[in-house]
């Protein structure tokens, strides 16, 4: 780890973190406070009118507990997509863009190992993801406690959000690997943004049911089962662990590739 | 003592691009001029030295350390000015230099102020807004601020005005007198003539000549013998044209400028014929 580089890059993350933090604050606050039995009826009627639409973004009818309600309406789209976009933007900016523009020359033309550079950049990405997940958890608990005291079991929330963190670490790993692998921004952005986005689209397809459900075998989002995590199911915990293990592999491969590749800068 | 040692370095990018069997050495305390037309392979050779790319065949070492394997250790004593300057656009010049000092873990960037004075660099503005010349000055300060013992400079005076170019030449002369080893790739003949003791000329990826500036000049001296009517006439002719006189015969030499010599190696005619438009 190089402290000076870490500080510079974290400064570069601040603006994005603030933007995504604000968006998440807005949605979490509004949606959580919407939890009301009568409101549930309204949402269920939406579901009856357009079940495919609602299911595609992960919203299911009949969630009765607060955590079930939150999983239905927050963990299908908002808390999946916004941190994912953060991973894409930051993942590409940390390595790929510098190589593409040639400013990586300033970093490698110094007595700092390439593995140190790559590890530092990875830490910056992981720090951002952890900060977003930590903030989301604190916010959800605070909003739930102030509006519906005692309704949200903290242990369930923590389990679900740890799973969510594993998912985003995995998605960040894909972006980071693409960033290390390709020297051309066209490809590092193409694959870094393309693969996670494609996976999300497949997830939407799989959710809408029917034959398309087979799409679930081609997307990492399947491994994140929020309802299963809340219930403490072994399969769901295994999925989260698989995501975490996958993330470790992706980051390790990315760092190795970066250390060995030719830099035409 | 050899500081930079390149042996049979080859990197084939296909269709005649790349470098082929490049070998040369730069000794301690020497300023070596590395010359060649655009796309001849100067930057590719330098990328190998910097450890940016791995040698496919052949090898290159700096102070006996492999340029790829031990790149991190080599960089401790190395200053580098890239051929194409690209810094972090979002920083100001001051922030960038401060960042580099921290990043390199320098206890004191002892020469930073001196270098900024010398090149009249005002680093307060954003790098994005800087002119090409100002960016180049920033690159020079960044390369010299840790007072490295080996300098690899890829066309370091691009974008500088003539005054700054001449200050840069002075700086190189000072560094040379301090015993620094310098590899200078350049297009400016005066710069090379004034600073370098030896030059290597690369063309289409191959080293075409490798010699001291003096020897290069001597080799390209053309001598003429003129016989005059009387010895008196011969003596005054010899005096006027700086020749040597033997009876009625005078030998005069036409000294080519270094630029003419380079043009010879850059190969005017046959080189241009290669790419018919």
């Amino acid at each position: 780890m190089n402290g000076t580089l870490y500080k510079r890059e974290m400064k570069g993350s601040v603006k994005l973190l603030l933007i995504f933090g604000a968006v998440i604050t807005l949605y979490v606050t509004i949606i959580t406070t919407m939890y009301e039995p009568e409101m549930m009826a309204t949402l269920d009627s939406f579901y009856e009118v357009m079940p495919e639409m609602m299911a595609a973004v992960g919203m299911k009818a009949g969630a009765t507990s607060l955590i079930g309600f939150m999983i239905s309406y927050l963990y299908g789209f908002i808390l999946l997509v916004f941190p994912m976009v953060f991973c894409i933007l930051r993942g590409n900016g940390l390595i790929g863009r510098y190589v593409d523009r040639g400013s990586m020359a300033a970093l490698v033309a110094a007595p700092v190992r390439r593995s140190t550079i790559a590890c530092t950049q990875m830490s910056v990405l992981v720090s951002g993801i952890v900060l977003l997940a930590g903030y989301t958890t604190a916010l959800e608990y605070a909003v739930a406690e102030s509006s519906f005291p005692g309704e949200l079991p903290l242990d369930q929330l923590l389990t679900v959000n740890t799973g969510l963190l594993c998912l985003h670490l995995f998605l960040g790993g894909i972006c980071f690997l693409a960033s290390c692998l390709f020297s051309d921004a066209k490809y590092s952005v193409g694959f870094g943004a393309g693969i996670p986005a494609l996976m999300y689209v497949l997830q939407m397809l799989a959710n809408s049911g029917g034959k398309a459900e087979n799409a679930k075998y081609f997307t990492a989002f399947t491994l994140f089962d929020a309802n299963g995590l809340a219930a403490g199911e072994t399969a769901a915990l295994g999925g989260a662990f698989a995501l975490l293990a996958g993330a470790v592999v992706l980051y390790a491969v990315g760092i190795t590739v970066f250390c060995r590749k030719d830099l035409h800068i | 003592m050899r500081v930079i040692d390149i042996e049979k370095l080859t990197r084939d990018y296909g269709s005649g691009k790349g470098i082929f069997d490049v070998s040369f050495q730069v000794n301690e305390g020497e300023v070596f001029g590395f010359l060649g037309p655009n796309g001849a392979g100067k930057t590719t050779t330098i990328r190998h030295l910097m450890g940016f790319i791995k040698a496919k065949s052949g090898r290159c070492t700096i102070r006996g350390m492999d340029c790829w394997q031990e790149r991190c250790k080599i960089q401790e004593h190395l200053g580098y000015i890239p051929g194409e300057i690209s810094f972090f656009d979002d920083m100001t010049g001051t922030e960038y230099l401060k960042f580099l000092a921290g990043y390199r873990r320098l206890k004191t960037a002892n020469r930073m102020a001196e270098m900024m004075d010398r090149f009249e660099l005002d680093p307060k503005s954003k790098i994005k807004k800087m002119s090409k010349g100002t960016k180049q000055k920033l690159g020079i300060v960044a390369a010299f601020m840790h007072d490295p013992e080996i300098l690899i400079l890829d066309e370091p005076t691009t974008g500088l005005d003539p005054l700054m170019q001449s200050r840069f030449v002075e700086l190189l002369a000072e560094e040379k007198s301090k015993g620094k080893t310098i590899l200078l790739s350049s297009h400016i003949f005066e710069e090379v003539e004034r600073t370098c003791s030896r030059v290597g000329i690369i063309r289409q990826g191959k080293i075409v000549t490798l010699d001291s500036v003096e020897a290069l000049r001597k080799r390209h001296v053309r001598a003429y013998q003129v016989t005059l009517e009387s010895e008196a006439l011969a003596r005054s002719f010899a005096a006027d044209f700086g020749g040597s006189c033997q009876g009625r015969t005078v030998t005069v030499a036409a000294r080519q400028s270094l630029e003419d010599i380079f043009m010879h190696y850059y190969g005017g005619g046959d080189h241009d014929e290669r790419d018919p438009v």
Side-chain angles (χ1 to χ4, degrees):
Chain A
M1 272 273 287
N2 185 293
T4 312
L5 181 61
Y6 183 79
K7 243 186 270 165
R8 173 198 140 75
E9 297 298 353
M10 282 311 279
K11 255 194 205 164
S13 291
V14 164
K15 210 195 271 173
L16 278 177
L17 283 172
L18 286 177
I19 292 170
F20 286 108
V23 172
I24 288 171
T25 308
L26 187 76
Y27 279 104
V28 167
T29 315
I30 291 174
I31 291 181
T32 309
T33 47
M34 268 164 63
Y35 173 66
E36 260 179 81
E38 299 106 81
M39 202 60 192
M40 295 300 299
T42 319
L43 282 168
D44 280 355
S45 67
F46 276 143
Y47 183 80
E48 274 157 34
V49 178
M50 38 181 187
E52 294 91 358
M53 247 326 260
M54 298 288 277
V57 290
M59 298 181 183
K60 293 181 195 79
T64 46
S65 65
L66 177 55
I67 188 131
F69 174 82
M70 286 169 76
I71 287 171
S72 285
Y73 298 102
L74 284 172
Y75 289 76
F77 178 75
I78 288 139
L79 292 182
L80 294 185
V81 168
F82 288 113
M84 180 176 95
V85 174
F86 172 81
C87 290
I88 291 171
L89 294 174
R90 221 48 205 116
N92 174 59
L94 286 167
I95 304 254
R97 197 194 306 152
Y98 289 156
V99 176
D100 183 64
R101 292 197 183 164
S103 37
M104 182 55 81
L107 297 182
V108 289
V112 177
R113 291 181 178 284
R114 279 202 204 171
S115 52
T116 310
I117 298 172
C119 283
T120 307
Q121 302 299 66
M122 178 199 75
S123 312
V124 173
L125 181 60
V126 170
S127 303
I129 297 171
V130 170
L131 278 174
L132 272 183
Y135 174 71
T136 306
T137 311
L139 177 77
E140 284 174 324
Y141 194 67
V143 171
E145 276 301 290
S146 69
S147 309
F148 314 100
E151 286 272 332
L152 187 67
L154 185 59
D155 57 333
Q156 284 185 21
L157 179 71
L158 285 177
T159 319
V160 171
N161 281 4
T162 308
L164 185 70
L165 175 66
C166 294
L167 174 70
H168 289 305
L169 287 176
F170 182 82
L171 296 176
I174 294 174
C175 303
F176 185 76
L177 176 58
S179 195
C180 290
L181 204 55
F182 302 104
S183 300
D184 201 326
K186 197 167 56 184
Y187 297 111
S188 69
V189 175
F191 284 89
I195 295 175
L198 183 71
M199 280 185 173
Y200 185 72
V201 172
L202 288 175
Q203 159 82 353
M204 288 173 77
L205 262 177
N207 277 348
S208 57
K211 252 190 176 172
E213 212 189 313
N214 286 330
K216 75 178 181 190
Y217 297 114
F218 301 96
T219 166
F221 286 93
T222 310
L223 293 170
F224 172 63
D225 172 11
N227 283 308
L229 285 169
E233 286 169 17
T234 323
L237 292 170
F241 184 75
L243 285 171
L244 184 64
V248 172
V249 171
L250 286 168
Y251 289 114
V253 172
I255 291 167
T256 313
V257 165
F258 180 70
C259 288
R260 292 192 187 165
K261 82 192 275 193
D262 283 339
L263 295 170
H264 295 278
I265 43 175
Chain B
M1 201 195 111
R2 286 172 178 183
V3 174
I4 298 173
D5 194 348
I6 301 177
E7 271 173 53
K8 297 193 168 176
L9 198 60
T10 300
R11 179 96 186 185
D12 194 346
Y13 288 126
S15 64
K17 291 268 172 206
I19 52 170
F20 307 94
D21 244 0
V22 169
S23 299
F24 65 84
Q25 285 81 36
V26 184
N27 298 317
E28 183 144 28
E30 186 178 48
V31 185
F32 182 86
F34 194 33
L35 294 141
N38 294 329
K42 298 189 295 290
T43 301
T44 304
T45 310
I46 288 175
R47 279 180 187 146
H48 279 99
L49 288 175
M50 293 299 295
F52 294 171
I53 53 183
K54 190 179 179 180
K56 283 258 161 75
S57 86
R59 59 194 290 267
C60 53
T61 57
I62 290 180
R63 281 189 169 157
M65 291 181 278
D66 187 273
C67 288
W68 175 261
Q69 298 280 340
E70 294 173 86
R71 55 194 172 202
C72 180
K73 223 169 156 196
I74 292 173
Q75 291 292 345
E76 276 173 38
H77 307 285
L78 199 130
Y80 168 63
I81 300 179
E84 222 170 283
I85 299 243
S86 169
F87 299 133
F88 303 124
D89 280 345
D90 54 315
M91 285 179 153
T92 69
T94 318
E95 282 168 349
Y96 178 70
L97 292 174
K98 218 177 126 198
F99 164 78
L100 267 193
Y103 180 69
R104 278 185 154 265
R105 295 179 207 272
L106 296 182
K107 285 184 194 79
T108 48
N110 34 11
R111 299 193 70 187
M112 198 199 284
E114 177 211 325
M115 296 303 296
M116 287 201 288
D117 280 350
R118 197 189 268 261
F119 290 100
E120 295 170 18
L121 171 68
D122 173 25
K124 283 188 212 70
S125 58
K126 284 259 185 217
I127 295 180
K128 201 191 280 182
K129 302 263 159 73
M130 284 182 179
S131 71
K132 189 162 168 44
T134 312
K135 274 190 206 171
Q136 195 70 31
K137 289 177 185 177
L138 189 62
I140 295 172
V141 176
F144 282 84
M145 70 176 184
H146 54 288
D147 204 12
E149 288 151 41
I150 304 162
L151 289 150
I152 294 181
L153 314 172
D154 196 357
E155 298 184 14
T157 54
T158 334
L160 294 185
D161 61 50
L163 175 67
M164 290 304 151
Q165 284 187 4
S166 108
R167 283 203 192 157
F168 187 75
V169 170
E170 283 164 27
L171 173 67
L172 287 189
E174 278 172 37
E175 296 301 303
K176 188 186 176 182
S177 70
K178 284 185 206 159
K180 308 282 175 77
T181 307
I182 303 170
L183 175 76
L184 172 78
S185 109
S186 177
H187 273 310
I188 301 163
F189 306 109
E190 276 178 29
E191 189 175 272
V192 174
E193 204 165 10
R194 280 171 67 189
T195 53
C196 299
S197 36
R198 273 197 324 134
V199 293
I201 298 176
I202 188 168
R203 195 185 133 197
Q204 289 169 17
K206 296 184 182 97
I207 296 280
V208 286
T209 192
L210 198 62
D211 218 332
S212 74
V213 172
E214 258 329 291
L216 210 59
R217 264 212 211 95
K218 272 204 190 110
R219 211 189 312 153
H220 287 267
V221 165
R222 283 193 207 125
Y224 299 92
Q225 282 199 336
V226 185
T227 311
L228 290 115
E229 279 172 2
S230 69
E231 280 189 31
L233 214 53
R235 268 197 297 277
S236 63
F237 184 85
D240 283 350
F241 289 93
S244 62
C245 174
Q246 271 185 316
R248 289 199 297 129
T249 309
V250 181
T251 309
V252 284
R255 278 173 68 99
Q256 268 182 304
S257 74
L258 206 54
E259 184 162 356
D260 292 331
I261 299 171
F262 291 143
M263 289 317 287
H264 169 81
Y265 284 110
Y266 278 24
D270 63 335
H271 175 60
D272 292 341
E273 278 163 24
R274 244 171 44 85
D275 307 304
V277 183

